[in-house]
Amino acid sequence: MIWAVQCVGPDHKFERLIEMILRRNIHVHNRGIVDKRYLDEKKNLDKLKLGDVAFISEGYWQMANDICCVCVHNVGAWASS
């Protein structure tokens, strides 16, 4: 089954949504320190290196909020159609 839901808006790529999930995982499971698993996924859009701390800046936080709002809105619209 293929869902026809656009999860990101025109200003962002789907890869960024995946990167946000991976970054969330290193914060929850590795105290924000970039590990091999994060790098192996090849979604390292911010050029982080092994052992770096993946800081969540104000700009990153705002971008993440914008992407998540678009995604939730689009999934909700799809589900109710």
Side-chain angles (χ1 to χ4, degrees), residues 4-23:
V5 180
Q6 184 70 24
C7 290
V8 294
D11 297 335
H12 300 287
K13 294 184 177 183
F14 186 73
E15 288 80 6
R16 181 53 80 178
L17 184 61
I18 300 302
E19 187 280 332
M20 289 169 26
I21 294 165
L22 295 171
R23 190 175 291 214

Side-chain angles (χ1 to χ4, degrees), residues 3-44:
W3 294 5
V5 180
Q6 184 70 24
C7 290
V8 294
D11 297 335
H12 300 287
K13 294 184 177 183
F14 186 73
E15 288 80 6
R16 181 53 80 178
L17 184 61
I18 300 302
E19 187 280 332
M20 289 169 26
I21 294 165
L22 295 171
R23 190 175 291 214
R24 172 255 177 220
N25 290 345
I26 61 174
H27 276 276
V28 169
H29 302 293
N30 208 28
R31 291 183 274 195
I33 299 170
V34 174
D35 59 11
K36 189 174 180 330
R37 244 182 307 180
Y38 176 87
L39 296 175
D40 284 349
E41 292 295 328
K42 298 184 179 33
K43 299 293 183 215
N44 185 8

Side-chain angles (χ1 to χ4, degrees), residues 3-7 68-81:
W3 294 5
V5 180
Q6 184 70 24
C7 290
C68 288
C69 285
V70 168
C71 186
V72 168
H73 176 268
N74 290 350
V75 170
W78 171 81
S80 64
S81 63

